[in-house]
Amino acid sequence: MPDLFAQPVASYARVAVERGIDRYPDGLVYAVANDLADLVAGERVMVPLGRGDRATAGYVIEVDAEPGRHVSAVKFVQRRDDAASRLPPQLVTLARWISQYYATPIGVTLAAMLPAAVKRSVGLVRRVFVDRVADAEEPPRLSPQQRAVLATLDGLPADRRPIEIKSLAAEAGLRSVSPIRRLAQRGLLTTIQRTGVDAAWADHAVDAAPPPTLTAAQRQVIDAIDAAGTDAFSAHLLYGVTGAGKTEVYLRLIERTLARGKSALLLVPEISLTPQTGGRLLGRFPDVTVAILHSGLTAAQRHQQWTLAAHGAASIVVGARSAVFAPVPDGTLGLIVVDEEHDGSYKQDQAPRYHGRDVALRRGQLAGCPVVLGSATPALESWHNATMRKTAQLHRLDDRAPGLRLPRVEVVDLAAERRMRPGKHLLGPTLEDALRDTLDAGAQALLLLNRRGYANYIACPSSGCGWVMHCEGCDVCMVYHRDRRLPAGGFVRCHHCQREQRLPRACPDCGRGIATLGLGTQRVEEELRAKFPVLAEGDTLARLDSDTVRSARGLHDVLERFGAGIVRVLLGTQMIAKGLDYPGVRLVGVVNADTAINLPDFRATERTFQLVSQVTGRCGRAEGPRRDRAIVQSFHPDNHAIQMAAAHDYPAFAAAELEDRRLCGLPPFTRMARIVVRHRDHPRCVALAHALAEGLTPLVPPSVRMDGPAPCPIPRLSDHHRQEVQLIAPSAAELQRVLAAARNAGVLTPGAEMAIDVDPVAVL
Ligand code: ADP
Ligand code: ZN
């Protein structure tokens, strides 16, 4: 018997350890000695782990836990760790919910919640600012350097004060900051500690346009959301056409929240974290500390921003998906807004595979505050919740903001366009003419093609051969990328595993020359430069896709040049479809609306509708007599998603699509979990899938449908074979029961060989 009872046990705590995060799905139970009896959930502690009792960091996820059967094996929590990275208890509750709902070990969940820099406690940089103390008396004996500091400070314009201590030293011609420190010690200067804000954003805080007068419709929405109660949970769906002024509604709701002394959390899709959103927010609330969390930050910046939120210093937190885990102290969160709630980037594609919107709703329940989801193209789940299940209140903004008109959308038949003008053209005559008119009129255009590279199909042109270039490790076609610096003029890349190769000179099967077919933004770029002299060189044409823009800074630079009118045509993938609000845009062209239509995914139609609606909504944002145009090229011009997007008729689209889903027994009428097993070895993969299905079968009640095992639509990715089993249940609760039973029975073992995706948004 170990000397466990040498010290008295005050209680037991469940701790999620950071090491071995997959091995202990629900954490480990430790004894708590008397001196740590006040431990609370969310605290970081050190615990002994393994045979060597190696001190390991972890988070307390439950106090007063059941000791379990093996009390004699229980070890003691050693000590509290870093108080700075303590989690609010509500976040721990949220983590436990995610861990259960998304069938993910608690350690993995916590690891995803916390920025790595926070866990390692690195990178926190404090910047010290100083200013004059208003009525301090100046002592007679000051050094020349101290006098220089005060004179410099007094000479600064008001908007540059307080000033960072290092900048002041530099301006006063000092080599060290110690004279400034001494002035502070003598009570002549105040010091203010701040954690830095990403410069790319700070630059944009300046243009604080005066808030517009709300329209009656906007006011109604705000009042209705307020009327639901500001200190209790309520869920709202704000459906407003593109340009309806939804952002203005968010800003006013945030303003009211701050006025009540609470803080607000604003979630935006990863890519639309553009300077525009940030600038509008900072411009509207110049005196408020805003914490910004997104993937473009360095580890140190992330830590700074996280800490701002954790200390309650930031009244507004804005960020992408993972900002839903911002450590806003319990009791202070007053509002959560999820902008563009339909966006696919809210779903994390690795464990825990959580949906940021759904977690936001859960967090709102825990915090007891309203959660507002907004979109011009709500996810069918959200629309269903608001219109049929009534678990959320529906608010509508049916018209664009005053003076703005939705564009006239024309769907053109690509087959007919080709007959009008033979040859290889990605832009048909209609779109080409419209673009010429737009450029002649001095206006700007956006062109969307949701496909990167030059050609997405590399094949042997001989009809008798049929060779197509596939990735060696994935069952997908290789994509040709042009690069004039390379001897062959380009290379081929797999868009899944990023494998690259040279473009073969000849067909490996029959030796003939090779054809590069299909679409890509690079090819559109080439065509535009060839056809439009003003776009031929320089900065007038910009391509925006993940090949050209790799950082938040890069995106910011392109958009800045577009906003300034230097860039006349912005061509890109779905990156350009979201959130941009530039009045100079008078034409939107969709080069090919069909890129998603035929994917073997039940959300293909919904995604096509969203993409076409969102991108066409980027024009018609200037007041004036002329109505802007959007031209959508398609080989399926009669497709109902495209037609209804052109008609700006989301409700009709949703009604039709929901009816289809109902008939097919698909979400949102059912709940789905997808379990994918993967292995390098094909027989092993099949065996794993069969074992999974066999293990699940006795646990699945008649009301739940189990499909599979079967190969995934893409049967091999990154050298791994993939098989899947789908569970389709009539309700979330029933799905959860099966998943819990399967976890307890050891049938579900999430990890490298098995991925569990609850409420999947993509099923390839
Ligand atoms: P959404 O987020 O719904 O697409 P935005 O909030 O971006 O729409 O609004 C579109 C444009 O209309 C913005 O430039 C915004 O400043 C402007 N706007 C919003 N509300 C009003 C209003 N009440 N009066 C005048 N302009 C407005
Ligand atoms: Zn590949």
Side-chain angles (χ1 to χ4, degrees):
M1 186 70 114
D3 61 349
L4 171 65
F5 298 103
Q7 50 180 324
V9 176
S11 61
Y12 294 91
R14 189 177 289 279
V15 176
V17 287
E18 284 174 10
R19 208 169 296 145
I21 46 183
D22 287 335
R23 281 193 9 238
Y24 316 105
D26 300 313
L28 289 167
V29 172
Y30 285 91
V32 178
N34 277 335
D35 58 336
L36 289 176
D38 56 343
L39 220 51
V40 295
E43 285 197 84
R44 224 172 105 110
V45 290
M46 298 303 286
V47 291
L49 186 69
R51 256 189 249 140
D53 282 347
R54 192 125 64 106
T56 303
Y59 282 89
V60 176
I61 55 169
E62 187 183 359
V63 289
D64 297 322
E66 287 292 324
R69 275 173 295 143
H70 307 289
V71 183
S72 62
V74 166
K75 302 168 183 177
F76 275 89
V77 172
Q78 293 165 326
R79 60 180 170 86
R80 284 195 157 90
D81 196 31
D82 183 10
S85 47
R86 168 188 292 216
L87 288 174
Q90 271 174 16
L91 268 192
V92 176
T93 310
L94 191 65
R96 298 186 77 188
W97 177 79
I98 289 173
S99 172
Q100 193 198 347
Y101 187 87
Y102 293 102
T104 309
I106 186 75
V108 176
T109 306
L110 283 174
M113 273 185 153
L114 288 157
V118 174
K119 277 176 290 176
R120 296 196 311 268
S121 308
V122 298
L124 191 63
V125 186
R126 284 224 172 70
R127 293 162 66 189
V128 183
F129 291 73
V130 291
D131 205 348
R132 275 283 223 174
V133 172
D135 41 11
E137 255 184 54
E138 220 155 289
R141 275 183 296 133
L142 287 176
S143 73
Q145 287 161 328
Q146 288 171 336
R147 282 188 200 289
V149 169
L150 293 179
T152 308
L153 198 52
D154 290 341
L156 285 177
D159 64 349
R160 290 199 52 208
R161 283 162 45 179
I163 181 173
E164 196 175 358
I165 191 161
K166 283 185 212 143
S167 319
L168 178 59
E171 298 218 5
L174 304 177
R175 255 174 296 154
S176 109
V177 297
S178 42
I180 306 178
R181 295 232 182 261
R182 244 169 282 129
L183 284 170
Q185 282 158 9
R186 296 177 73 172
L188 287 164
L189 297 180
T190 57
T191 57
I192 301 133
Q193 303 229 338
R194 281 188 194 165
T195 43
V197 173
D198 188 17
W201 288 72
D203 296 349
H204 279 75
V206 274
D207 63 343
T213 310
L214 291 176
T215 62
Q218 285 172 322
R219 205 167 324 111
Q220 231 174 19
V221 171
I222 293 168
D223 290 342
I225 293 172
D226 260 0
T230 50
D231 50 11
F233 169 70
S234 55
H236 305 268
L237 175 63
L238 172 55
Y239 158 62
V241 294
T242 54
K246 293 183 291 296
T247 310
E248 189 56 42
V249 169
Y250 308 150
L251 293 174
R252 299 297 174 102
L253 289 171
I254 291 172
E255 191 178 11
R256 292 186 179 197
T257 306
L258 302 187
R260 289 195 303 272
K262 293 274 181 101
S263 47
L265 177 56
L266 170 63
L267 299 182
V268 294
E270 184 66 72
I271 211 64
S272 76
L273 253 179
T274 59
Q276 264 200 328
T277 326
R280 245 167 114 180
L281 197 65
L282 296 177
R284 185 63 64 84
F285 304 104
D287 307 323
V288 170
T289 306
V290 181
I292 298 153
L293 295 161
H294 65 91
S295 62
L297 301 180
T298 63
Q301 286 169 330
R302 252 182 174 265
H303 195 180
Q304 290 164 21
Q305 300 297 317
W306 195 88
T307 308
L308 274 185
H311 293 173
S315 316
I316 304 175
V317 179
V318 55
R321 180 180 66 231
S322 66
V324 73
F325 304 130
V328 177
D330 287 358
T332 64
L333 193 56
L335 173 72
I336 304 177
V337 176
V338 185
D339 187 23
E340 310 287 4
E341 61 86 30
H342 64 279
D343 197 276
S345 74
Y346 283 120
K347 177 82 175 179
Q348 173 147 301
D349 61 4
Q350 45 186 280
R353 293 178 171 74
Y354 69 92
H355 200 298
R357 173 193 62 223
D358 300 335
V359 174
L361 285 164
R362 185 75 198 143
R363 184 153 194 199
Q365 277 177 348
L366 294 171
C369 74
V371 179
V372 179
L373 316 178
S375 178
T377 54
L380 289 175
E381 283 78 2
S382 301
W383 188 251
H384 180 65
N385 284 340
T387 59
M388 296 182 192
R389 297 181 61 219
K390 311 278 185 199
T391 52
Q393 293 179 34
L394 181 65
H395 310 275
R396 293 175 65 146
L397 293 174
D398 288 315
D399 301 306
R400 279 207 157 174
L404 309 186
R405 279 209 293 168
L406 284 163
R408 186 158 52 90
V409 183
E410 299 150 55
V411 181
V412 300
D413 180 356
L414 266 176
E417 295 269 307
R418 290 220 169 145
R419 283 194 295 275
M420 278 162 72
R421 187 182 54 176
K424 277 194 182 176
H425 301 278
L426 297 181
L427 267 56
T430 309
L431 179 52
E432 189 180 319
D433 289 348
L435 182 56
R436 187 156 289 121
D437 290 347
T438 305
L439 291 172
D440 288 348
Q444 291 173 296
L446 279 183
L447 292 179
L448 172 90
L449 176 61
N450 206 13
R451 203 160 262 169
R452 288 179 290 130
Y454 186 85
N456 64 332
Y457 203 65
I458 301 159
C460 176
S462 158
S463 54
C465 172
W467 176 81
V468 176
M469 189 173 190
H470 284 98
C471 174
E472 282 172 18
C474 312
D475 288 328
V476 300
C477 291
M478 296 294 270
V479 179
Y480 175 51
H481 287 252
R482 276 248 159 129
D483 189 340
R484 297 198 183 287
R485 292 163 302 181
L486 297 177
F491 60 93
V492 296
R493 176 187 286 154
C494 169
H495 282 189
H496 281 281
C497 71
Q498 313 308 328
R499 222 191 224 98
E500 288 181 4
Q501 250 175 280
R502 265 203 236 150
L503 181 68
R505 288 187 194 280
C507 169
D509 287 356
C510 72
R512 256 173 264 242
I514 281 209
T516 54
L517 307 164
L519 304 165
T521 45
Q522 276 189 319
R523 221 176 118 194
V524 180
E525 181 180 7
E526 189 178 270
E527 186 172 318
L528 288 170
R529 291 204 199 272
K531 284 184 173 164
F532 296 92
V534 331
L535 304 178
E537 51 209 274
D539 255 359
T540 48
L541 170 63
R543 196 175 74 185
L544 204 58
D545 57 37
S546 53
D547 293 324
T548 58
V549 175
R550 294 231 168 74
S551 65
R553 168 66 72 175
L555 178 65
H556 165 256
D557 289 347
V558 174
L559 292 180
E560 191 161 66
R561 281 184 285 130
F562 191 60
I566 301 164
V567 171
R568 303 283 306 281
V569 174
L570 193 58
L571 157 70
T573 54
Q574 58 183 343
M575 268 183 153
I576 64 165
K578 299 171 192 173
L580 304 186
D581 181 31
Y582 293 103
V585 179
R586 313 293 321 235
L587 172 72
V588 167
V590 178
V591 176
N592 188 318
D594 310 337
T595 48
I597 277 184
N598 290 319
L599 291 179
D601 186 322
F602 71 88
R603 287 197 177 82
T605 315
E606 183 179 10
R607 226 164 280 137
T608 299
F609 178 88
Q610 288 167 350
L611 191 62
V612 173
S613 305
Q614 291 288 345
V615 73
T616 55
R618 298 306 121 206
C619 63
R621 289 170 178 266
E623 292 185 37
R626 211 160 37 108
R627 195 161 176 206
D628 292 354
R629 285 174 86 185
I631 292 169
V632 179
Q633 303 192 132
S634 169
F635 283 108
H636 307 276
D638 298 326
N639 176 286
H640 85 106
I642 295 178
Q643 281 296 331
M644 291 189 197
H648 308 289
D649 198 347
Y650 173 81
F653 167 75
E657 187 65 15
L658 280 173
E659 185 54 17
D660 281 356
R661 298 270 185 93
R662 197 180 61 78
L663 292 172
C664 299
L666 287 166
F669 295 93
T670 51
R671 301 301 276 261
M672 188 185 276
R674 184 175 184 240
I675 305 153
V676 175
V677 295
R678 58 199 290 273
H679 205 279
R680 284 178 178 271
D681 181 46
H682 186 254
R684 187 87 192 98
C685 179
V686 173
L688 282 171
H690 278 277
L692 169 67
E694 262 165 45
L696 282 171
T697 303
L699 306 172
V700 174
S703 60
V704 176
R705 194 173 98 207
M706 186 174 97
D707 287 347
C712 297
I714 302 176
R716 201 167 51 111
L717 272 184
S718 304
D719 302 301
H720 285 77
H721 296 274
R722 307 163 73 231
Q723 297 249 330
E724 67 175 313
V725 171
Q726 281 186 4
L727 296 171
I728 299 171
S731 70
E734 275 175 89
L735 185 61
Q736 286 297 316
R737 268 198 291 280
V738 178
L739 292 175
R743 267 182 107 184
N744 288 336
V747 173
L748 290 185
T749 49
E753 290 179 351
M754 182 186 291
I756 300 163
D757 194 352
V758 178
D759 302 333
V761 301
V763 295
L764 298 178

